[in-house]
Amino acid sequence: MLSTLMNFLRACLWPSSDRHVHSSSHIAGRQDGLLWYKDIGQHLNGEFSMAVVQANFLPEDQSQIESGCLSMQDSGPHGTFVGIYDGHGGPETSRFINDHLFHHLKRFTYELKSMSVDVIRKAFQATEEGFLSIVTKQWPTKPQIAAVGSCCLIAVICDGTLYIANLGDSRAVLGRLVKATEEVRAIQLSTEHNASIESVRQELHSQHPDDSHIVFLKHNVWRVKGLIQISRSIGDFYLKRAEFNKPPLYAKFRLREPFRRPILSSEPSISVHELRPDDQFLIFASDGLWEHLSNQEAVDIVQNRPHIGSARRLVKAALKEAAKKREMRYSDLKKIERGIRRHFHDDITVVVLFLDSNLASRASSIKGPTLSLRGGGINLTAKV
């Protein structure tokens, strides 16, 4: 009760400069230099906020929110989908996921008649196979496409159930109200696949018992085969299929010894959670945010301010930390151009979904506002 009252008072009493300057932002969001943001919007289960800051010359982060029908058939089910796709080696894989994964999810939901873990797993598999066909076609003229990949974090809210699926090291964090203390506690919902995590290194060793160098420290960073930090992804076929780990692929990506089974996996970690009335909001972000903010720090930033501008506020907090680590001012960091900016921080994508318990628990057949929004950025066509 007290938490609800505090939220109401914040909305009423917060200085108008913070509450209203961007409240009339365009439906598709706004661009401010390398920052794109959609301060507030409505999805089927509540409000949302979204922001993206670009560091790479070509943005490797891609993202989307889809709210409405989750099937090829208008009868449903209905719900909300969030996707965070953190690319590496180039933007091709993350762009491909942004164009295809949700479509696959809708197709399998239609075929299997409901939302399920199986639907999500099939959608991931179809996306991986689709990008493999692109790599196979382009390999003769563009072999480096085999070294491009992407992390992939998605969430689906349907009929009061939250599905989280992840490949790589993007993260989903829940803000849950603890009634006894009126505090909002951070709960990490996603499983990460980064070699810096001991359990991930143990998994790699168990899967490759005959390879003592499956993962090792390189420049003080744990990397799979000394090449990549993540152990699961979409793409990265140079570490999944031996036929793509040979000339004319650049020598820096080629292994000395041929491999007989995939080194990286495209099998997502999937978890299912029943939403509770005390679940306040969800934060989805690429690892660029979590390099600078802890789960609880991020939750506190969202909880202690109005809903509007929440994602942009998180991005700003991360950038301030990035500037502080380099002993520079935030205002000076913002002046650095894309490409060069990557030496100071990664692309950062943040989506905050606020949960209205009355809306989140509605039957999935009930229709609501239809939303289809992609995170922005300065997109230039990559040379093929």
Side-chain angles (χ1 to χ4, degrees), residues 10-27:
R10 287 190 199 101
C12 293
L13 300 178
W14 206 265
S16 59
S17 60
D18 186 68
R19 287 177 54 213
H20 298 301
V21 167
H22 300 285
S23 61
S24 61
S25 60
H26 298 161
I27 292 174

Side-chain angles (χ1 to χ4, degrees), residues 50-350:
M50 189 174 185
V52 179
V53 68
Q54 182 177 343
N56 289 288
F57 184 76
L58 293 175
E60 295 184 345
D61 273 17
Q62 301 290 321
S63 53
Q64 66 186 130
I65 302 179
E66 308 285 343
S67 196
C69 187
L70 300 176
S71 170
M72 303 297 287
Q73 198 169 39
D74 290 341
S75 59
H78 294 77
T80 297
F81 172 96
V82 174
I84 306 286
Y85 318 123
D86 181 1
H88 47 262
E92 292 89 347
T93 313
S94 56
R95 289 178 180 176
F96 183 87
I97 300 169
N98 217 13
D99 288 339
H100 294 88
L101 192 148
F102 182 63
H103 174 78
H104 288 312
L105 182 129
K106 292 179 70 174
R107 176 166 63 90
F108 288 118
T109 300
Y110 171 71
E111 291 178 4
L112 299 179
K113 308 302 182 185
S114 65
M115 180 56 60
S116 67
V117 168
D118 195 32
V119 163
I120 293 171
R121 186 171 286 111
K122 286 177 179 293
F124 270 71
Q125 181 181 355
T127 305
E128 171 87 342
E129 292 173 354
F131 192 65
L132 173 59
S133 68
I134 297 293
V135 172
T136 302
K137 291 176 183 177
Q138 295 191 8
W139 167 257
T141 57
K142 188 184 177 184
Q144 309 319 315
I145 191 74
V148 179
S150 182
C151 300
C152 183
L153 169 67
I154 73 161
V156 180
I157 300 176
C158 183
D159 201 14
T161 299
L162 169 66
Y163 301 84
I164 301 287
N166 193 43
L167 293 169
D169 54 10
S170 296
R171 187 179 302 172
V173 173
L174 170 69
R176 175 173 288 168
L177 176 65
V178 180
K179 293 182 179 179
T181 61
E182 288 294 326
E183 297 176 335
V184 175
R185 182 164 60 97
I187 301 173
Q188 184 169 325
L189 300 181
S190 54
T191 300
E192 294 174 29
H193 312 112
N194 189 300
S196 65
I197 302 169
E198 184 177 357
S199 61
V200 172
R201 297 197 298 273
Q202 291 174 349
E203 179 183 64
L204 286 165
H205 283 299
S206 67
Q207 292 171 345
H208 304 271
D210 55 343
D211 187 352
S212 61
H213 295 96
I214 186 65
V215 58
F216 57 88
L217 277 172
K218 186 174 182 180
H219 305 307
N220 293 318
V221 177
W222 287 102
R223 297 180 183 274
V224 182
K225 300 301 291 185
L227 293 170
I228 189 169
Q229 290 180 262
I230 58 170
S231 62
R232 304 191 195 188
S233 68
I234 299 290
D236 294 311
F237 289 109
Y238 75 116
L239 291 177
K240 293 176 179 176
R241 290 177 174 253
E243 62 264 35
F244 297 122
N245 198 286
K246 62 182 182 181
L249 184 71
Y250 291 155
K252 67 178 181 179
F253 295 121
R254 300 201 303 264
L255 302 179
R256 294 180 180 179
E257 300 293 334
F259 55 93
R260 297 180 179 179
R261 58 181 177 273
I263 294 169
L264 302 186
S265 168
S266 61
E267 180 68 24
S269 292
I270 304 176
S271 58
V272 182
H273 313 268
E274 295 302 319
L275 291 174
R276 296 164 29 174
D278 47 1
D279 293 339
Q280 305 293 294
F281 53 82
L282 295 156
I283 303 172
F284 306 96
S286 54
D287 71 318
L289 181 81
W290 309 112
E291 288 176 2
H292 303 292
L293 297 179
S294 70
N295 294 351
Q296 192 61 53
E297 286 171 338
V299 164
D300 290 345
I301 289 170
V302 174
Q303 171 60 19
N304 293 328
R305 302 288 288 271
H307 289 187
I308 186 170
S310 293
R312 187 157 53 99
R313 215 169 282 126
L314 285 170
V315 168
K316 183 177 180 179
L319 294 181
K320 284 187 172 181
E321 284 299 313
K324 183 179 178 181
K325 290 174 183 177
R326 299 299 291 268
E327 298 182 344
M328 63 188 302
R329 293 181 297 184
Y330 168 65
S331 58
D332 291 331
L333 176 65
K334 290 200 300 179
K335 297 174 184 176
I336 300 174
E337 297 180 355
R338 59 198 171 100
I340 300 173
R341 182 83 82 90
R342 183 62 183 88
H343 297 289
F344 298 84
H345 67 84
D346 199 354
D347 293 342
I348 301 174
T349 297
V350 180

